[in-house]
Amino acid sequence: MLDLGNKRIVVTGGAGFLGKQVVDRLCQSGAQRDKISVPRSRDRDLRDFANCQRTVAEQDIVIHLAAHVGGIGLNREKPAELFYNNLMMGAQLIHASHTAGVQKFVCVGTICAYPKFTPVPFKEDNLWDGYPEETNAPYGIAKKALLVQLQSYRQQYGFNGVYLLPVNLYGPEDNFDPRSSHVIPALIRKVYEAQQRGDNAIPVWGDGSPTREFLYSTDAALGIVMAAQGFDGPQPVNLGTNCEISIRALAELICELMAFDGEIVWETDKPTGQPRRCLDTTRAQELFGFAARMDFRTGLKNTIDWYRQHAA
């Protein structure tokens, strides 16, 4: 078990939705807050190699969470930006970390890296069995390239980089911007605004048939820090709950929790994304003892309560 007590740690994306939870979990696990640095994109554009070098200089551990990411709408609108920005940030940060002598690099990848049609539950060994779902592919492939980079740097240089594949995240402080949010915050906001206007229906993209799996942000942070402390292997590792829910059931559950009894209007001309998503979480349990803790209904309620308090 890696002792975090005297380690200098940089968390890219550490001021974001997941990043704040990772910083808190690092401190709960023995890290000293004054030795944790959180570069901000306004000061350190990680698409620039010199900024990557400055960011990792004299650091012991790098946890790379920073990403240009959004929901299906953003994926359709800006595929080139999503590919370029995520590839450049990650590839240059890994190279800078290797040349700076960083002891441990934890790279957080994406569920979007999996093939469009993958046996359910998704096993890490299926990662290369096909092309990702088309709208997710530019983002997913850019992030998957970082796995290849880490494995090749381990082989040639002995660089200790690990790669994690978290499923879709949710929780308080998520991104609720309708232009770039994922499905849970998007649905919560739609229901809330319909209630504010007195509407008796909400539109939802697709037909409700695809399934998804969701990991609460504090659980994701726990898994990331457990991997930072206790996992040093080359193989990718899923982080999830192994619980699958359809978009239709999710929308109905959010309406129930928010006491909205209006109609859900399915916009079947809109894209639905990958048909199914559910992770096999055996590897994380076996390699470093991670298992999700948050009950989904409770996690949704916490997220709804937070949004209602902060909607203004």
Side-chain angles (χ1 to χ4, degrees):
M1 183 70 73
L2 184 64
D3 181 5
L4 301 176
N6 60 353
K7 299 297 184 190
R8 295 157 299 182
I9 306 170
V10 61
V11 183
T12 72
F17 162 54
L18 173 60
K20 290 176 184 175
Q21 305 289 352
V22 169
V23 170
D24 285 347
R25 175 55 62 177
L26 285 166
C27 294
Q28 292 168 36
S29 301
Q32 298 175 37
R33 192 171 283 268
D34 62 356
K35 291 192 173 184
I36 301 172
S37 57
V38 176
R40 303 302 297 268
S41 57
R42 60 175 177 263
D43 307 316
R44 293 272 176 91
D45 184 342
L46 296 177
R47 295 171 300 180
D48 179 270
F49 185 61
N51 282 334
C52 291
Q53 290 176 302
R54 280 191 282 273
T55 297
V56 303
E58 300 183 346
Q59 299 295 319
D60 300 309
I61 301 170
V62 174
I63 299 178
H64 179 43
L65 309 176
H68 185 183
V69 62
I72 198 167
L74 186 71
N75 287 339
R76 294 176 80 203
E77 183 187 349
K78 298 186 174 179
E81 289 180 34
L82 289 169
F83 180 82
Y84 179 82
N85 293 345
N86 287 292
L87 183 64
M88 289 298 104
M89 282 194 291
Q92 297 193 117
L93 199 68
I94 290 168
H95 188 69
S97 297
H98 152 62
T99 56
V102 166
Q103 294 173 20
K104 181 82 174 272
F105 192 102
V106 181
C107 186
V108 176
T110 173
I111 186 77
C112 298
Y114 272 100
K116 180 176 183 176
F117 298 105
T118 308
V120 178
F122 296 5
K123 289 182 165 64
E124 295 92 343
D125 292 342
N126 298 128
L127 199 55
W128 297 99
D129 289 353
Y131 195 75
E133 194 278 322
E134 291 78 6
T135 54
N136 294 318
Y139 172 63
I141 289 172
K143 296 291 266 186
K144 188 152 65 166
L146 306 180
L147 168 61
V148 178
Q149 185 180 7
L150 287 172
Q151 289 174 331
S152 56
Y153 276 48
R154 179 183 292 273
Q155 181 182 343
Q156 185 171 343
Y157 305 127
F159 182 63
N160 187 14
V162 302
Y163 189 88
L164 306 174
L165 288 154
V167 77
N168 299 53
L169 304 181
Y170 75 105
E173 298 190 67
D174 202 344
N175 169 27
F176 287 85
D177 183 336
R179 294 166 299 180
S180 57
S181 59
H182 286 103
V183 62
I184 285 178
L187 286 170
I188 290 171
R189 180 168 176 154
K190 276 188 178 183
V191 172
Y192 177 85
E193 291 181 348
Q195 289 174 318
Q196 297 300 109
R197 291 190 301 263
D199 295 349
N200 59 6
I202 58 165
V204 181
W205 279 21
D207 60 8
S209 65
T211 67
R212 293 293 179 264
E213 175 183 344
F214 299 96
L215 183 63
Y216 198 64
S217 56
T218 55
D219 280 340
L222 174 64
I224 291 163
V225 174
M226 288 178 76
Q229 288 188 280
F231 173 56
D232 293 311
Q235 61 270 58
V237 182
N238 289 335
L239 295 181
T241 62
N242 193 228
C243 297
E244 189 178 12
I245 184 171
S246 73
I247 298 300
R248 182 177 295 274
L250 173 67
E252 290 169 353
L253 178 56
I254 287 173
C255 289
E256 176 199 329
L257 292 172
M258 296 183 74
F260 177 72
D261 54 9
E263 183 187 0
I264 300 169
V265 179
W266 296 100
E267 298 185 316
T268 54
D269 59 323
K270 296 290 199 298
T272 57
Q274 194 166 20
R276 290 181 70 185
R277 275 189 195 163
C278 182
L279 294 182
D280 184 309
T281 55
T282 307
R283 188 175 283 181
Q285 178 73 53
E286 289 178 348
L287 291 178
F288 48 92
F290 171 72
R293 299 175 179 179
M294 177 60 71
D295 167 72
F296 185 53
R297 192 181 182 95
T298 304
L300 272 183
K301 191 171 183 308
N302 293 346
T303 308
I304 291 164
D305 290 346
W306 182 90
Y307 182 69
R308 281 185 166 141
Q309 291 166 20
H310 296 85

